[in-house]
Coordinates of all heavy atoms in Angstrom, one line a residue:
M9 N 3.3 -8.1 1.1 CA 4.1 -7.0 0.7 C 3.3 -5.8 0.3 O 3.6 -4.6 0.6 CB 4.9 -7.4 -0.5 CG 5.9 -6.3 -0.9 SD 7.0 -6.9 -2.3 CE 8.0 -5.5 -2.6
N10 N 2.1 -6.0 -0.3 CA 1.2 -4.9 -0.6 C 0.1 -4.8 0.4 O -0.9 -4.2 0.2 CB 0.6 -5.2 -2.0 CG 1.6 -5.0 -3.1 OD1 2.6 -4.4 -3.0 ND2 1.3 -5.5 -4.3
G11 N 0.4 -5.3 1.6 CA -0.7 -5.3 2.6 C -0.7 -4.0 3.5 O -1.2 -4.1 4.6
V12 N -0.2 -2.9 2.9 CA -0.2 -1.7 3.7 C -1.6 -1.2 3.9 O -2.4 -1.1 3.0 CB 0.6 -0.6 3.0 CG1 0.6 0.7 3.8 CG2 2.0 -1.1 2.7
P13 N -2.0 -1.1 5.2 CA -3.4 -0.6 5.5 C -3.6 0.9 5.4 O -2.6 1.6 5.6 CB -3.6 -1.1 7.0 CG -2.2 -1.1 7.6 CD -1.2 -1.2 6.5
L14 N -4.8 1.3 5.0 CA -5.1 2.7 5.0 C -6.3 2.8 6.1 O -7.3 2.1 5.8 CB -5.6 3.2 3.7 CG -5.9 4.7 3.6 CD1 -4.7 5.6 3.8 CD2 -6.6 5.0 2.2
R15 N -6.1 3.7 7.0 CA -7.2 3.9 8.0 C -7.9 5.2 7.8 O -7.2 6.2 7.6 CB -6.6 3.8 9.5 CG -6.1 2.5 9.8 CD -5.7 2.4 11.3 NE -4.9 1.1 11.6 CZ -3.6 1.0 11.3 NH1 -3.0 2.0 10.9 NH2 -3.1 -0.1 11.6
F16 N -9.2 5.2 7.8 CA -9.9 6.4 7.8 C -11.3 6.3 8.4 O -11.8 5.1 8.5 CB -10.1 6.9 6.2 CG -10.6 5.8 5.4 CD1 -12.0 5.7 5.2 CD2 -9.7 5.0 4.7 CE1 -12.5 4.7 4.4 CE2 -10.2 4.1 3.8 CZ -11.6 3.8 3.7
P17 N -11.9 7.3 8.8 CA -13.3 7.2 9.5 C -14.3 7.1 8.5 O -14.3 7.8 7.4 CB -13.3 8.6 10.3 CG -12.4 9.5 9.6 CD -11.4 8.7 8.9
V18 N -15.4 6.3 8.8 CA -16.6 6.3 7.9 C -17.7 6.6 8.9 O -17.6 6.3 10.1 CB -16.8 4.9 7.3 CG1 -15.7 4.7 6.2 CG2 -16.9 3.8 8.2
T19 N -18.8 7.1 8.4 CA -20.0 7.4 9.1 C -21.0 6.3 8.8 O -21.4 6.3 7.7 CB -20.5 8.8 9.0 OG1 -19.5 9.7 9.2 CG2 -21.7 9.1 9.9
C20 N -21.5 5.6 9.8 CA -22.5 4.6 9.6 C -23.8 5.2 9.1 O -24.4 6.1 9.7 CB -22.7 3.8 10.9 SG -24.0 2.6 10.8
P21 N -24.4 4.7 8.0 CA -25.6 5.3 7.5 C -26.8 4.9 8.4 O -27.8 5.5 8.3 CB -25.8 4.7 6.1 CG -24.9 3.4 6.1 CD -23.8 3.7 7.2
K22 N -26.7 3.9 9.3 CA -27.8 3.5 10.1 C -27.9 4.4 11.4 O -28.9 4.8 11.8 CB -27.6 2.0 10.5 CG -28.3 1.1 9.4 CD -28.9 -0.1 10.1 CE -29.9 -0.7 9.1 NZ -30.0 -2.2 9.3
C23 N -26.7 4.4 12.1 CA -26.8 5.1 13.4 C -25.9 6.4 13.4 O -26.0 7.2 14.4 CB -26.2 4.2 14.5 SG -24.5 3.7 14.3
G24 N -25.3 6.7 12.3 CA -24.5 8.0 12.2 C -23.2 8.0 13.1 O -22.6 9.0 13.1
R25 N -22.8 6.8 13.6 CA -21.6 6.8 14.3 C -20.4 6.7 13.5 O -20.3 6.0 12.4 CB -21.6 5.5 15.2 CG -20.4 5.5 16.1 CD -20.3 4.2 16.9 NE -21.5 3.9 17.7 CZ -21.7 2.7 18.3 NH1 -20.9 1.7 18.2 NH2 -22.9 2.5 19.0
E26 N -19.4 7.5 13.8 CA -18.1 7.5 13.1 C -17.2 6.4 13.6 O -17.0 6.3 14.8 CB -17.5 8.9 13.2 CG -16.5 9.1 12.0 CD -16.0 10.5 12.1 OE1 -15.0 10.8 12.9 OE2 -16.5 11.4 11.3
S27 N -16.8 5.6 12.7 CA -15.8 4.5 13.1 C -14.6 4.6 12.2 O -14.7 4.9 11.1 CB -16.5 3.1 13.0 OG -17.8 3.2 13.4
L28 N -13.5 4.1 12.8 CA -12.3 4.0 12.0 C -12.2 2.7 11.3 O -12.3 1.6 12.0 CB -11.1 4.2 12.9 CG -9.8 4.7 12.3 CD1 -9.9 6.0 11.7 CD2 -8.7 4.7 13.3
V29 N -12.1 2.6 10.0 CA -12.0 1.4 9.3 C -10.7 1.3 8.7 O -9.8 2.3 8.5 CB -13.1 1.3 8.2 CG1 -14.5 1.2 8.8 CG2 -13.0 2.4 7.2
E30 N -10.3 0.1 8.3 CA -9.0 -0.1 7.6 C -9.2 -0.9 6.4 O -9.8 -2.0 6.5 CB -8.2 -0.9 8.8 CG -6.7 -1.1 8.4 CD -6.0 -1.7 9.5 OE1 -5.9 -1.2 10.6 OE2 -5.4 -2.8 9.3
F31 N -8.6 -0.4 5.3 CA -8.7 -1.2 4.0 C -7.2 -1.3 3.5 O -6.5 -0.5 3.8 CB -9.5 -0.4 3.0 CG -11.0 -0.6 3.3 CD1 -11.7 0.4 4.0 CD2 -11.8 -1.6 2.8 CE1 -13.1 0.4 4.3 CE2 -13.1 -1.7 3.1 CZ -13.7 -0.7 3.9
P32 N -7.0 -2.3 2.7 CA -5.7 -2.4 2.0 C -5.5 -1.0 1.2 O -6.4 -0.7 0.3 CB -5.7 -3.5 1.2 CG -6.8 -4.4 1.7 CD -7.9 -3.3 2.3
L33 N -4.4 -0.4 1.4 CA -4.1 0.9 0.8 C -4.1 0.6 -0.8 O -4.7 1.5 -1.5 CB -2.8 1.4 1.2 CG -2.3 2.8 0.8 CD1 -1.4 3.5 1.7 CD2 -1.7 2.9 -0.6
V34 N -3.6 -0.5 -1.2 CA -3.6 -0.8 -2.6 C -5.0 -0.8 -3.2 O -5.2 -0.3 -4.4 CB -2.9 -2.2 -2.8 CG1 -2.8 -2.5 -4.3 CG2 -1.5 -2.1 -2.3
Q35 N -5.8 -1.4 -2.5 CA -7.2 -1.6 -3.0 C -7.9 -0.1 -3.2 O -8.5 0.1 -4.2 CB -8.0 -2.4 -2.0 CG -9.4 -2.8 -2.4 CD -10.1 -3.5 -1.4 OE1 -9.6 -4.4 -0.7 NE2 -11.3 -3.1 -1.0
I36 N -7.7 0.7 -2.2 CA -8.3 2.0 -2.3 C -7.7 2.9 -3.4 O -8.3 3.5 -4.2 CB -8.1 2.7 -0.9 CG1 -8.8 2.0 0.2 CG2 -8.6 4.2 -1.0 CD1 -10.2 2.0 0.2
A37 N -6.3 2.8 -3.4 CA -5.6 3.5 -4.4 C -6.0 3.1 -5.8 O -6.3 3.9 -6.7 CB -4.1 3.4 -4.3
D38 N -6.1 1.8 -6.0 CA -6.5 1.2 -7.2 C -7.9 1.7 -7.7 O -8.1 2.1 -8.8 CB -6.5 -0.3 -7.1 CG -6.7 -1.0 -8.5 OD1 -5.9 -0.8 -9.4 OD2 -7.7 -1.7 -8.6
A39 N -8.8 1.7 -6.7 CA -10.2 2.1 -7.0 C -10.2 3.6 -7.4 O -11.0 4.0 -8.3 CB -11.1 1.9 -5.7
I40 N -9.5 4.4 -6.7 CA -9.5 5.9 -7.0 C -8.9 6.1 -8.4 O -9.4 6.9 -9.3 CB -8.8 6.7 -5.9 CG1 -9.6 6.6 -4.6 CG2 -8.5 8.1 -6.4 CD1 -9.0 7.2 -3.4
L41 N -7.7 5.5 -8.5 CA -7.0 5.8 -9.8 C -7.8 5.2 -11.0 O -7.6 5.7 -12.2 CB -5.6 5.1 -9.8 CG -4.7 5.8 -8.8 CD1 -3.4 5.1 -8.7 CD2 -4.4 7.2 -9.1
N42 N -8.6 4.1 -10.8 CA -9.3 3.6 -12.0 C -10.8 4.0 -12.0 O -11.6 3.4 -12.7 CB -9.1 2.1 -11.9 CG -7.8 1.6 -12.2 OD1 -7.2 1.9 -13.2 ND2 -7.1 1.0 -11.2
D43 N -11.1 5.0 -11.2 CA -12.5 5.5 -11.1 C -13.5 4.4 -10.8 O -14.6 4.3 -11.4 CB -12.9 6.1 -12.4 CG -12.3 7.5 -12.5 OD1 -11.9 8.1 -11.5 OD2 -12.2 8.0 -13.8
R44 N -13.1 3.5 -9.9 CA -14.0 2.4 -9.5 C -14.6 2.8 -8.1 O -14.1 3.7 -7.4 CB -13.2 1.1 -9.3 CG -13.1 0.4 -10.7 CD -13.0 -1.1 -10.5 NE -11.7 -1.4 -9.8 CZ -10.6 -1.7 -10.3 NH1 -10.5 -1.7 -11.6 NH2 -9.5 -2.0 -9.6
R45 N -15.7 2.3 -7.8 CA -16.3 2.5 -6.6 C -15.6 1.9 -5.4 O -15.1 0.9 -5.5 CB -17.7 2.1 -6.6 CG -18.6 2.9 -7.5 CD -20.1 2.5 -7.4 NE -20.9 3.3 -8.3 CZ -21.6 2.9 -9.3 NH1 -21.8 1.6 -9.4 NH2 -22.3 3.7 -10.1
I46 N -15.6 2.6 -4.3 CA -15.1 2.1 -3.1 C -16.2 1.7 -2.2 O -17.1 2.4 -1.8 CB -14.2 3.2 -2.4 CG1 -13.1 3.7 -3.2 CG2 -13.7 2.7 -1.0 CD1 -12.3 4.9 -2.7
R47 N -16.1 0.4 -1.9 CA -17.2 -0.2 -1.0 C -16.7 0.0 0.5 O -15.8 -0.4 0.9 CB -17.3 -1.7 -1.3 CG -18.5 -2.3 -0.8 CD -19.7 -2.0 -1.7 NE -20.9 -2.7 -1.1 CZ -22.2 -2.2 -1.4 NH1 -22.3 -1.2 -2.1 NH2 -23.2 -2.8 -0.9
L48 N -17.5 0.7 1.3 CA -17.2 0.9 2.7 C -18.1 0.0 3.5 O -19.2 -0.3 3.1 CB -17.5 2.4 3.0 CG -16.7 3.5 2.1 CD1 -17.2 4.9 2.5 CD2 -15.2 3.3 2.4
T49 N -17.6 -0.2 4.6 CA -18.4 -1.0 5.6 C -18.3 -0.4 7.0 O -17.2 0.1 7.4 CB -17.8 -2.4 5.8 OG1 -17.5 -3.0 4.4 CG2 -18.7 -3.3 6.5
A50 N -19.5 -0.3 7.6 CA -19.5 0.3 9.0 C -19.5 -0.9 10.0 O -20.4 -1.8 10.0 CB -20.8 1.1 9.2
P51 N -18.5 -1.0 10.9 CA -18.3 -2.1 11.7 C -19.4 -2.2 12.8 O -19.8 -3.3 13.1 CB -16.9 -1.9 12.4 CG -16.5 -0.4 12.1 CD -17.3 0.0 10.9
C52 N -20.1 -1.1 13.1 CA -21.1 -1.2 14.2 C -22.4 -1.9 13.7 O -23.0 -2.7 14.5 CB -21.4 0.1 14.6 SG -21.8 1.4 13.4
H53 N -22.7 -1.8 12.4 CA -23.9 -2.4 12.0 C -23.7 -3.4 10.8 O -24.6 -4.0 10.3 CB -24.9 -1.3 11.5 CG -25.7 -0.7 12.6 ND1 -25.3 0.4 13.3 CD2 -26.8 -1.1 13.2 CE1 -26.2 0.7 14.3 NE2 -27.2 -0.2 14.2
G54 N -22.4 -3.5 10.4 CA -22.1 -4.3 9.2 C -22.7 -3.8 8.0 O -22.8 -4.6 7.0
E55 N -23.1 -2.6 8.0 CA -23.7 -2.0 6.8 C -22.6 -1.7 5.8 O -21.6 -1.3 6.1 CB -24.4 -0.6 7.2 CG -25.4 -0.1 6.3 CD -26.8 -0.9 6.5 OE1 -26.9 -1.8 7.3 OE2 -27.7 -0.3 5.8
S56 N -22.9 -1.9 4.5 CA -21.9 -1.6 3.5 C -22.6 -0.8 2.4 O -23.8 -1.0 2.1 CB -21.2 -2.8 3.0 OG -22.1 -3.6 2.3
W57 N -21.9 0.1 1.8 CA -22.3 1.1 0.8 C -21.2 1.5 -0.1 O -20.0 1.4 0.3 CB -23.1 2.2 1.4 CG -22.2 3.1 2.2 CD1 -21.6 4.4 1.7 CD2 -21.6 3.0 3.4 NE1 -20.9 4.9 2.7 CE2 -20.9 4.2 3.8 CE3 -21.7 2.0 4.5 CZ2 -20.2 4.3 5.0 CZ3 -21.1 2.1 5.7 CH2 -20.3 3.3 6.0
N58 N -21.5 2.1 -1.2 CA -20.5 2.7 -2.1 C -20.1 4.1 -1.6 O -21.1 4.9 -1.3 CB -21.0 2.8 -3.5 CG -21.0 1.4 -4.1 OD1 -20.2 0.5 -3.9 ND2 -22.0 1.1 -4.9
A59 N -18.9 4.5 -1.5 CA -18.4 5.7 -1.1 C -19.0 6.8 -2.0 O -19.0 6.6 -3.3 CB -17.0 5.8 -1.0
N60 N -19.6 7.8 -1.5 CA -20.1 8.8 -2.3 C -18.9 9.9 -2.6 O -17.9 9.7 -2.2 CB -21.3 9.7 -1.7 CG -21.0 10.3 -0.4 OD1 -19.8 10.7 -0.2 ND2 -21.9 10.4 0.4
E61 N -19.2 10.9 -3.4 CA -18.2 11.8 -3.8 C -17.4 12.4 -2.7 O -16.2 12.6 -2.7 CB -18.8 12.9 -4.7 CG -17.8 13.5 -5.6 CD -18.5 14.5 -6.7 OE1 -19.5 14.0 -7.2 OE2 -18.0 15.6 -6.9
I62 N -18.2 12.9 -1.7 CA -17.6 13.5 -0.5 C -16.8 12.6 0.3 O -15.6 12.9 0.7 CB -18.7 14.1 0.5 CG1 -19.4 15.2 -0.3 CG2 -18.1 14.5 1.8 CD1 -20.8 15.6 0.3
E63 N -17.2 11.4 0.4 CA -16.4 10.3 1.1 C -15.1 10.0 0.3 O -14.1 9.8 0.9 CB -17.2 9.1 1.3 CG -18.2 9.2 2.4 CD -19.4 8.2 2.4 OE1 -19.7 7.7 1.3 OE2 -20.0 8.0 3.5
V64 N -15.2 9.9 -1.0 CA -14.1 9.6 -1.8 C -13.1 10.7 -1.7 O -11.9 10.5 -1.5 CB -14.5 9.5 -3.3 CG1 -13.2 9.4 -4.2 CG2 -15.3 8.2 -3.5
Q65 N -13.5 12.0 -1.6 CA -12.6 13.1 -1.4 C -11.9 12.9 -0.1 O -10.6 13.2 0.0 CB -13.4 14.4 -1.4 CG -13.9 14.9 -2.7 CD -12.9 15.5 -3.6 OE1 -11.8 15.6 -3.3 NE2 -13.3 15.8 -4.9
Q66 N -12.6 12.6 1.0 CA -12.0 12.5 2.3 C -11.0 11.3 2.3 O -9.9 11.4 2.8 CB -13.1 12.2 3.3 CG -13.9 13.3 3.7 CD -15.1 13.1 4.5 OE1 -15.4 11.9 4.7 NE2 -15.7 14.1 5.1
I67 N -11.4 10.2 1.6 CA -10.5 9.1 1.6 C -9.2 9.4 0.8 O -8.1 9.0 1.2 CB -11.3 7.9 0.9 CG1 -12.3 7.4 1.8 CG2 -10.2 6.7 0.7 CD1 -13.3 6.4 1.2
C68 N -9.4 10.2 -0.2 CA -8.3 10.7 -1.1 C -7.3 11.4 -0.2 O -6.1 11.3 -0.4 CB -8.8 11.5 -2.2 SG -8.0 11.2 -3.7
E69 N -7.7 12.2 0.7 CA -6.9 13.0 1.6 C -6.2 12.1 2.5 O -4.9 12.3 2.7 CB -7.7 14.0 2.4 CG -8.2 15.2 1.5 CD -9.2 16.0 2.3 OE1 -9.3 16.1 3.5 OE2 -10.0 16.8 1.6
Y70 N -6.8 11.1 3.0 CA -6.1 10.1 3.8 C -5.0 9.4 3.1 O -3.9 9.1 3.5 CB -7.1 9.2 4.5 CG -7.8 9.7 5.7 CD1 -8.9 10.5 5.6 CD2 -7.2 9.7 7.0 CE1 -9.6 11.0 6.6 CE2 -7.9 10.2 8.1 CZ -9.1 10.9 7.9 OH -9.7 11.5 8.9
L71 N -5.4 9.0 1.8 CA -4.5 8.3 0.9 C -3.4 9.2 0.6 O -2.1 8.6 0.6 CB -5.3 7.9 -0.3 CG -4.5 7.2 -1.4 CD1 -4.1 5.8 -0.9 CD2 -5.3 7.0 -2.7
D72 N -3.5 10.4 0.4 CA -2.5 11.4 0.1 C -1.5 11.4 1.2 O -0.4 11.4 1.1 CB -3.2 12.7 -0.1 CG -2.5 13.4 -1.3 OD1 -2.1 12.7 -2.2 OD2 -2.6 14.7 -1.3
A73 N -2.0 11.5 2.5 CA -1.2 11.6 3.7 C -0.4 10.3 3.8 O 0.8 10.4 4.1 CB -2.1 11.9 4.9
A74 N -1.1 9.1 3.6 CA -0.4 7.9 3.7 C 0.7 7.8 2.7 O 1.7 7.2 3.0 CB -1.4 6.8 3.5
C75 N 0.4 8.3 1.4 CA 1.4 8.3 0.5 C 2.7 9.0 0.8 O 3.8 8.7 0.5 CB 0.8 8.7 -0.9 SG -0.3 7.6 -1.7
L76 N 2.4 10.1 1.4 CA 3.5 11.0 1.9 C 4.4 10.2 2.9 O 5.6 10.3 2.8 CB 3.1 12.3 2.5 CG 2.5 13.3 1.5 CD1 2.0 14.5 2.1 CD2 3.5 13.7 0.3
D77 N 3.8 9.5 3.8 CA 4.4 8.8 4.8 C 5.2 7.6 4.3 O 6.2 7.3 4.8 CB 3.4 8.2 5.9 CG 2.9 9.2 6.8 OD1 3.5 10.4 6.9 OD2 1.9 9.0 7.5
R78 N 4.7 7.1 3.2 CA 5.2 5.8 2.8 C 5.8 5.9 1.4 O 6.0 4.9 0.7 CB 4.1 4.8 2.8 CG 3.4 4.5 4.1 CD 2.3 3.6 4.0 NE 1.6 3.5 5.3 CZ 2.0 2.7 6.3 NH1 3.1 2.0 6.2 NH2 1.2 2.6 7.3
R79 N 6.1 7.1 1.0 CA 6.6 7.3 -0.4 C 7.9 6.4 -0.6 O 8.1 6.0 -1.7 CB 6.9 8.7 -0.6 CG 7.2 9.1 -2.0 CD 7.3 10.6 -2.2 NE 5.9 11.3 -2.0 CZ 4.9 11.3 -2.8 NH1 5.0 10.6 -4.0 NH2 3.8 11.9 -2.6
K80 N 8.6 6.2 0.5 CA 9.9 5.5 0.2 C 9.7 4.0 0.2 O 10.5 3.3 -0.1 CB 10.9 5.8 1.4 CG 11.5 7.2 1.2 CD 12.3 7.5 2.4 CE 12.6 9.0 2.5 NZ 12.8 9.4 3.9
T81 N 8.5 3.6 0.6 CA 8.3 2.1 0.7 C 7.3 1.6 -0.4 O 7.5 1.7 -1.5 CB 7.9 1.8 2.2 OG1 6.7 2.4 2.4 CG2 8.9 2.1 3.1
S82 N 6.2 1.1 0.2 CA 5.3 0.3 -0.8 C 4.8 1.1 -1.9 O 4.6 0.6 -3.0 CB 4.2 -0.3 0.1 OG 4.7 -0.8 1.3
V83 N 4.2 2.4 -1.5 CA 3.6 3.1 -2.5 C 4.4 3.5 -3.7 O 4.0 3.4 -4.9 CB 3.0 4.4 -1.8 CG1 2.3 5.3 -2.8 CG2 1.9 4.0 -0.8
A84 N 5.6 3.8 -3.4 CA 6.6 4.1 -4.4 C 6.7 2.9 -5.4 O 6.8 3.1 -6.6 CB 8.0 4.6 -3.9
G85 N 6.7 1.7 -4.8 CA 6.8 0.5 -5.5 C 5.7 0.2 -6.5 O 5.9 -0.5 -7.4
L86 N 4.5 0.8 -6.1 CA 3.3 0.6 -6.8 C 3.2 1.6 -8.0 O 2.4 1.5 -8.9 CB 2.1 0.8 -6.0 CG 1.9 -0.2 -4.9 CD1 0.8 0.2 -3.9 CD2 1.6 -1.6 -5.5
G87 N 4.1 2.6 -8.0 CA 4.1 3.6 -9.1 C 2.9 4.5 -9.0 O 2.5 5.0 -10.0
L88 N 2.4 4.7 -7.8 CA 1.3 5.6 -7.7 C 1.8 7.0 -7.5 O 2.8 7.3 -6.9 CB 0.5 5.3 -6.4 CG -0.2 4.0 -6.4 CD1 -0.8 3.7 -5.1 CD2 -1.2 3.8 -7.5
S89 N 1.2 8.0 -8.2 CA 1.6 9.4 -8.1 C 1.1 10.0 -6.9 O 1.7 10.8 -6.3 CB 1.3 10.1 -9.3 OG 0.0 10.1 -9.5
C90 N -0.2 9.7 -6.6 CA -0.8 10.3 -5.4 C -0.8 11.8 -5.4 O -0.6 12.5 -4.5 CB -0.3 9.8 -4.1 SG -0.9 8.2 -3.7
S91 N -0.9 12.4 -6.6 CA -0.9 13.9 -6.7 C -2.4 14.4 -6.4 O -3.3 13.5 -6.5 CB -0.5 14.3 -8.1 OG -1.5 13.8 -9.0
P92 N -2.5 15.6 -5.9 CA -3.8 16.1 -5.6 C -4.7 16.0 -6.8 O -5.9 16.0 -6.8 CB -3.5 17.6 -5.2 CG -2.1 17.6 -4.8 CD -1.4 16.5 -5.6
G93 N -4.1 16.0 -8.0 CA -5.0 15.9 -9.3 C -5.8 14.6 -9.3 O -6.9 14.6 -9.9
D94 N -5.3 13.6 -8.7 CA -6.1 12.4 -8.5 C -7.4 12.5 -7.9 O -8.4 11.8 -8.2 CB -5.3 11.2 -7.9 CG -4.1 10.8 -8.7 OD1 -4.1 10.9 -10.0 OD2 -3.2 10.3 -8.1
C95 N -7.4 13.4 -6.9 CA -8.6 13.7 -6.2 C -9.6 14.4 -7.0 O -10.8 14.5 -6.6 CB -8.3 14.3 -4.9 SG -7.1 13.5 -3.9
D96 N -9.3 15.0 -8.0 CA -10.2 15.8 -8.9 C -11.0 14.9 -9.8 O -11.9 15.2 -10.5 CB -9.5 16.8 -9.7 CG -8.8 17.9 -8.8 OD1 -9.3 18.0 -7.7 OD2 -7.8 18.5 -9.3
R97 N -10.5 13.6 -9.9 CA -11.1 12.7 -10.9 C -12.2 11.9 -10.3 O -12.5 10.8 -10.6 CB -10.0 11.8 -11.4 CG -8.9 12.5 -12.1 CD -7.8 11.5 -12.5 NE -8.4 10.4 -13.2 CZ -8.0 9.1 -12.9 NH1 -7.1 8.9 -12.0 NH2 -8.5 8.1 -13.5
T98 N -12.9 12.5 -9.3 CA -14.0 11.8 -8.7 C -15.4 12.0 -9.3 O -16.4 11.4 -8.9 CB -14.1 12.1 -7.2 OG1 -14.2 13.6 -7.1 CG2 -12.9 11.6 -6.5
E99 N -15.4 12.9 -10.3 CA -16.8 13.2 -11.0 C -17.4 12.0 -11.5 O -18.6 11.9 -11.5 CB -16.6 14.3 -12.1 CG -16.2 15.7 -11.5 CD -14.7 15.9 -11.7 OE1 -14.1 15.5 -12.7 OE2 -14.1 16.5 -10.8
G100 N -16.6 11.1 -12.0 CA -17.2 9.9 -12.7 C -17.7 8.9 -11.7 O -18.3 7.9 -12.1
I101 N -17.4 9.1 -10.4 CA -17.8 8.1 -9.4 C -19.1 8.5 -9.0 O -19.3 9.5 -8.3 CB -16.8 8.0 -8.3 CG1 -15.4 7.6 -8.8 CG2 -17.2 7.0 -7.2 CD1 -14.3 7.6 -7.9
A102 N -20.2 7.6 -9.2 CA -21.5 7.9 -8.8 C -21.7 7.6 -7.3 O -21.1 6.6 -6.8 CB -22.5 7.2 -9.6
Ligands
ZN219 ZN1 -24.1 1.9 13.0

């Protein structure tokens, strides 16, 4: 029920290739709302790293768009506001 995927591009730190990855939307939203780190993985090299501030901002934009799409379904049920203000709360994420 909460398995709504969020797709967004990540750039591999090893080869610089951009790949589309898919994470559970709930997991990403939870991390952003709770100022937790988002662990990203690049499929081409299996490399994983914590999203930096810029990446979190980008992910936040994708999350925002997904929330608009799905407002009537799962996201609304989670009680997420997904307001742009949430994206300003990335200062605490190292
Ligand atoms: Zn790579």
Side-chain angles (χ1 to χ4, degrees):
M9 185 176 181
N10 287 341
V12 181
L14 180 68
R15 289 184 194 87
F16 51 87
V18 295
T19 304
C20 176
K22 273 215 160 148
C23 66
R25 185 190 298 172
E26 200 174 79
S27 317
L28 202 61
V29 294
E30 189 176 299
F31 286 94
L33 190 151
V34 179
Q35 188 184 311
I36 299 295
D38 187 63
I40 288 172
L41 294 175
N42 293 296
D43 283 343
R44 279 207 294 270
R45 291 187 176 124
I46 299 171
R47 195 81 181 156
L48 300 174
T49 313
C52 53
H53 279 90
E55 199 80 355
S56 66
W57 69 99
N58 289 322
N60 64 30
E61 201 171 316
I62 293 162
E63 286 164 331
V64 171
Q65 290 282 356
Q66 285 171 346
I67 293 166
C68 222
E69 285 169 23
Y70 281 90
L71 181 66
D72 225 24
C75 286
L76 291 176
D77 283 350
R78 300 178 187 279
R79 195 170 291 286
K80 288 175 195 149
T81 58
S82 318
V83 174
L86 295 170
L88 298 177
S89 63
C90 281
S91 63
D94 291 334
C95 299
D96 297 334
R97 294 174 52 225
T98 54
E99 290 99 36
I101 300 175

